[in-house]
Amino acid sequence: GCTARNACDWTIRAGSMLWRTNVGNNVCSVGFTARNSANVRYVYTAGHCSSGAGVTWGTGTQAIGPMGGSINSGAVDGAVIRVTNPWFTGDAGGEIYQTLHVNGVAPTLSYLVAGETVCLSANYTNPTGPNYCGVIATTSDPAVRGMVKVNGLDACGGDSGGGWYWLSSSGSRIAYGIHSRSVTGCHVAGGTSWFSAVPTVKAALAP
């Protein structure tokens, strides 16, 4: 049920490819899943991926549900897809492609620290490939809308929306962000990427 990022519909896992409107029309990647106070499940992805509220999104051969809303302004490039497919609604969540698990979520922007190793769950150009990592340069880059800047990883087209997580020295994975953009290129050595911090997205776009 999860043999590749483009063939992963047993559960909704960070880094899996997301299609819009029609099965196979893959355009972006899954960030992380979450539930609101009413226990309704949502999927986070990038705001610039959205083509409007109400449009159906899915992964693999399964629909997830409709786009609930999106923001692509300032430090926030985020969107939420409501999970309405019963196949997914009861899942616990917190999973990353390759059967990895999220151990926690950054509660505030100050929780993120420059110099930490962070990894991106998405790898659009190699659906069965590894998750690549970089190092946080700053948690608020004034040159790119105040987003978190990561040195050492040049993400690729289609990686937008993927989940960034801190990989601690003990091996724990803490959800940190939703991928937004990178320098022009794809896995170019010495590249740079930017993401919207999860706490910032949640504050601006709570379902």
Side-chain angles (χ1 to χ4, degrees):
C2 198
T3 56
R5 290 179 178 84
N6 58 350
C8 186
D9 54 21
W10 182 252
T11 57
I12 301 173
R13 298 182 181 180
S16 296
M17 293 184 188
L18 283 171
W19 52 259
R20 185 175 62 206
T21 309
N22 299 307
V23 173
N25 182 36
N26 298 316
V27 292
C28 285
S29 300
V30 174
F32 298 104
T33 61
R35 293 183 185 275
N36 65 11
S37 59
N39 203 34
V40 178
R41 194 175 187 212
Y42 288 84
V43 172
Y44 279 103
T45 188
H48 74 258
C49 295
S50 175
S51 62
V55 175
T56 298
W57 287 73
T59 184
T61 60
Q62 293 283 342
I64 292 173
M67 175 64 67
S70 62
I71 298 176
N72 185 16
S73 177
V76 180
D77 184 2
V80 285
I81 302 164
R82 181 169 176 164
V83 181
T84 57
N85 185 344
W87 184 256
F88 296 126
T89 52
D91 291 351
E95 295 183 86
I96 303 171
Y97 172 72
Q98 294 176 323
T99 322
L100 303 176
H101 290 83
V102 176
N103 304 109
V105 182
T108 62
L109 182 60
S110 61
Y111 190 90
L112 285 66
V113 178
E116 289 179 330
T117 297
V118 287
C119 304
L120 176 61
S121 59
N123 190 343
Y124 200 89
T125 58
N126 186 359
T128 60
N131 298 338
Y132 290 104
C133 305
V135 176
I136 293 179
T138 176
T139 59
S140 182
D141 186 357
V144 183
R145 294 171 40 175
M147 291 184 177
V148 181
K149 179 181 181 181
V150 179
N151 287 337
L153 175 56
D154 176 24
C156 303
D159 290 348
S160 294
W164 283 91
Y165 57 93
W166 170 43
L167 185 62
S168 73
S169 57
S170 65
S172 293
R173 303 174 193 88
I174 309 298
Y176 262 23
I178 306 299
H179 181 67
S180 176
R181 62 198 62 211
S182 67
V183 295
T184 302
C186 179
H187 294 163
V188 175
T192 305
S193 297
W194 291 265
F195 67 81
S196 293
V198 165
T200 305
V201 175
K202 286 174 63 178
L205 196 64

